[in-house]
């Protein structure tokens, strides 16, 4: 069965304190791995798609990387506006659906 | 460009009542889907559609109906509401569907409480 596990569940950082979020997955053939950001009371907002091991994508203070078993979302020198829940989802080759993790709640304090 | 619009934002139902959650997108996306989000669980797919006139079940379809008569609209019907359907519901669309690596664009959700 396809599974996605995100860690930690919650993370509190000081402004400027870099860290990484983890997304471990088991799927029967990876078509793509997606990262989303979700603010309270809003729908998830697309950040990145990664397709193959070794791939990296960057956007402002965020950098996503992918291996054969996990993905990391690195946050460099975060700001309070980076506070949100970050969701990871994988697309297996076998079905038209994404399998989502439960997310990591990030709080960045000034 | 409005993106994906969901109505209503909030709804309270009594057990046994029926209602329709509305979803519309203005991006000419072929793929549309409904998810529910519950505390401690990832988003779970209810139903999806790969184009007008075509719908299929996701992983948690029981108690819900969908139809897709136009490209723009994809309503979700609750046939007889139950407390287990208390959740936040998200509609999402994409150009070609996640099976083709196409990212989903989400609406801002409908928060449903069934008493």
């Amino acid at each position: 069965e396809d599974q996605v596990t995100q860690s930690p569940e919650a993370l509190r950082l000081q402004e400027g304190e870099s860290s990484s979020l983890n997304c471990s997955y088991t799927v029967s053939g990876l078509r793509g791995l997606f990262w989303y950001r979700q603010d309270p009371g809003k729908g998830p907002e697309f950040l990145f798609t990664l397709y193959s091991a070794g791939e990296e994508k960057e956007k402002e203070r965020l950098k996503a990387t992918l291996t054969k078993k996990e993905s990391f979302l690195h946050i460099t020198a975060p700001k309070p506006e980076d506070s949100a829940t970050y969701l990871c989802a994988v697309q297996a080759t076998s079905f038209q659906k994404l399998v989502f993790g439960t997310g990591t709640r990030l709080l960045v304090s000034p | 460009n409005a993106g994906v619009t969901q109505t209503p934002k909030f709804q309270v139902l009594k057990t046994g009542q029926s209602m329709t959650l509305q979803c519309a997108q203005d991006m000419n996306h072929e793929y549309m889907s409904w998810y529910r989000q519950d505390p401690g669980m990832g988003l779970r797919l209810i139903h999806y559609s790969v184009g007008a006139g075509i719908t299929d079940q996701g992983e948690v379809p029981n108690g819900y109906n969908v139809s897709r008569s136009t490209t723009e609209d994809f309503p979700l019907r609750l046939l007889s509401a139950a407390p287990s359907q208390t959740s936040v519901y998200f509609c999402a669309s994409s150009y070609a569907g996640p099976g083709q690596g196409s990212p989903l664009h989400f609406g801002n959700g409908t928060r449903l409480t069934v008493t």
Side-chain angles (χ1 to χ4, degrees):
Chain A
E1 183 181 336
D2 300 334
Q3 269 193 319
V4 176
T5 303
Q6 291 188 247
S7 61
E9 285 187 19
L11 180 63
R12 185 165 191 158
L13 300 174
Q14 291 294 315
E15 185 172 2
E17 180 186 1
S18 301
S19 188
S20 297
L21 313 182
N22 179 262
C23 171
S24 299
Y25 64 90
T26 53
V27 292
S28 52
L30 180 70
R31 179 67 63 95
L33 184 142
F34 301 81
W35 281 99
Y36 289 86
R37 168 193 171 124
Q38 186 174 21
D39 293 299
K42 302 286 187 183
E45 177 187 348
F46 170 71
L47 293 173
F48 304 109
T49 309
L50 301 167
Y51 295 102
S52 57
E55 189 174 0
E56 298 182 352
K57 294 240 176 113
E58 286 190 67
K59 180 180 180 180
E60 296 181 2
R61 295 176 293 281
L62 300 177
K63 178 180 177 180
T65 61
L66 181 65
T67 72
K68 288 187 176 178
K69 292 185 177 178
E70 58 192 349
S71 176
F72 292 94
L73 186 65
H74 306 279
I75 303 176
T76 302
K79 298 182 177 181
E81 52 262 43
D82 294 322
S83 297
T85 296
Y86 290 85
L87 302 174
C88 170
V90 296
Q91 171 64 46
T93 54
S94 57
F95 197 41
Q96 277 280 11
K97 75 178 179 110
L98 295 181
V99 177
F100 280 86
T102 54
T104 293
R105 283 180 287 109
L106 174 67
L107 178 63
V108 182
S109 303
Chain B
N1 210 355
V4 178
T5 302
Q6 291 184 240
T7 56
K9 285 185 170 40
F10 301 94
Q11 183 70 50
V12 179
L13 291 178
K14 293 187 188 303
T15 297
Q17 287 185 317
S18 62
M19 78 158 295
T20 300
L21 279 62
Q22 301 292 345
C23 174
Q25 54 90 9
D26 62 0
M27 298 173 281
N28 203 31
H29 284 167
E30 289 296 326
Y31 180 91
M32 296 186 74
S33 55
W34 279 100
Y35 285 83
R36 59 179 289 173
Q37 187 174 43
D38 300 294
M41 303 186 75
L43 287 154
R44 291 181 293 166
L45 182 66
I46 305 171
H47 286 286
Y48 68 95
S49 168
V50 296
I54 306 168
T55 63
D56 207 346
Q57 295 181 350
E59 59 182 308
V60 287
N62 292 340
Y64 308 95
N65 262 357
V66 292
S67 59
R68 183 98 178 269
S69 56
T70 68
T71 299
E72 294 79 20
D73 300 299
F74 191 44
L76 178 72
R77 297 182 187 83
L78 278 70
L79 308 173
S80 177
S84 60
Q85 293 178 305
T86 293
S87 187
V88 182
Y89 291 85
F90 288 100
C91 179
S93 72
S94 69
Y95 176 71
Q100 281 70 47
S102 180
L104 294 175
H105 298 262
F106 285 84
N108 282 327
T110 294
R111 184 174 295 273
L112 175 69
T113 302
V114 182
T115 61

